[in-house]
């Protein structure tokens, strides 16, 4: 079976909204074949190109058309593409764990890569270079808790936050 057929079959089985990168299909054939096939599928409208080597199978709304992919799925696919360690910033982690209702004006993640901004589907994702200590436990529930506790800093962590954790 050809690389193009195998890749299209795998994408067809994905649920709408799935985000993927070329690395996800490296077992099917050469990088060149995978890239050409993804380009053709994007050109034909089967998938949507989100950014450099990032694609999704768009979710569609009868009223709004193609919907934006889930932010966490974008970050996971970007992590697979680059091999970087990526985790929520302290405020984002505290908000994700419902320890605060505050939200950042920007979508910020910490990374061991270079600081830059990803612009995907009108969403700016700011990646900030962080020290290894700031990335402790990245990608795990413990890492999320560590980041949330960093949000409170040196001040006392509220009792209700400790109870929730």
């Amino acid at each position: 079976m050809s690389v193009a057929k195998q890749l299209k079959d795998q994408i067809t089985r994905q649920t709408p909204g799935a985000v993927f990168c070329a690395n996800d299909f490296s077992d099917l054939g050469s990088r060149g074949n995978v890239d050409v096939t993804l380009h053709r599928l994007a050109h034909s409208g089967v998938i949507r190109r989100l950014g450099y080597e990032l694609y999704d199978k768009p979710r569609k709304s009868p009223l709004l058309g193609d919907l934006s992919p889930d932010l966490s799925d974008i970050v996971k696919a970007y992590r697979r593409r680059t091999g970087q360690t990526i985790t929520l910033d302290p405020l984002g982690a505290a908000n994700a764990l419902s320890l605060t209702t505050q939200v950042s004006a920007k979508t910020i993640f910490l990374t061991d890569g270079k600081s830059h901004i990803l612009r995907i589907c009108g969403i700016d994702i700011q990646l900030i270079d962080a020290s290894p200590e700031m990335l402790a436990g990245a990608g795990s529930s413990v890492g999320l808790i560590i980041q949330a506790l960093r949000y409170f800093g040196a001040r006392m962590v509220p009792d209700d936050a400790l109870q929730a954790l």
Side-chain angles (χ1 to χ4, degrees):
M1 188 181 306
S2 71
V3 171
K5 174 79 170 119
Q6 291 178 63
L7 197 144
K8 188 172 182 180
D9 288 348
Q10 279 193 21
I11 289 173
T12 303
R13 288 191 300 269
Q14 297 279 338
T15 59
V19 180
F20 43 88
C21 62
N23 292 353
D24 295 337
F25 306 105
S26 62
D27 60 326
L28 300 180
S30 73
R31 180 60 186 262
N33 283 346
V34 169
D35 285 343
V36 167
T37 303
L38 287 171
H39 175 76
R40 288 179 181 162
L41 290 172
H43 187 70
S44 67
V46 173
I47 61 175
R48 173 175 51 179
R49 184 176 186 271
L50 300 174
Y52 182 70
E53 295 182 4
L54 290 175
Y55 302 87
D56 79 334
K57 182 177 177 181
R59 291 180 297 141
K60 298 187 185 292
S61 162
L63 294 174
L64 303 173
D66 289 347
L67 301 175
S68 295
D70 186 68
L71 182 64
S72 65
D73 292 337
I74 294 171
V75 172
K76 287 175 188 172
Y78 184 76
R79 185 178 359 184
R80 289 191 308 271
R81 183 177 79 72
T82 62
Q84 294 178 7
T85 301
I86 301 174
T87 190
L88 278 170
D89 72 316
L91 175 57
N95 183 272
L97 293 172
S98 300
L99 301 178
T100 182
T101 56
Q102 292 183 359
V103 291
S104 177
K106 298 179 181 179
T107 305
I108 301 172
F109 287 85
L110 305 178
T111 181
D112 59 355
K114 292 169 62 174
S115 295
H116 63 285
I117 295 176
L118 284 177
R119 287 186 177 87
I120 296 178
C121 294
I123 302 167
D124 285 351
I125 302 169
Q126 188 171 359
L127 296 167
I128 298 175
D129 182 21
S131 66
E133 297 83 34
M134 287 294 291
L135 297 170
S140 69
S141 54
V142 171
L144 191 63
I145 292 170
I146 292 170
Q147 289 297 350
L149 291 174
R150 280 196 178 103
Y151 165 73
F152 293 104
R155 65 182 189 261
M156 195 72 153
V157 179
D159 287 337
D160 58 335
L162 288 175
Q163 289 294 333
L165 292 175

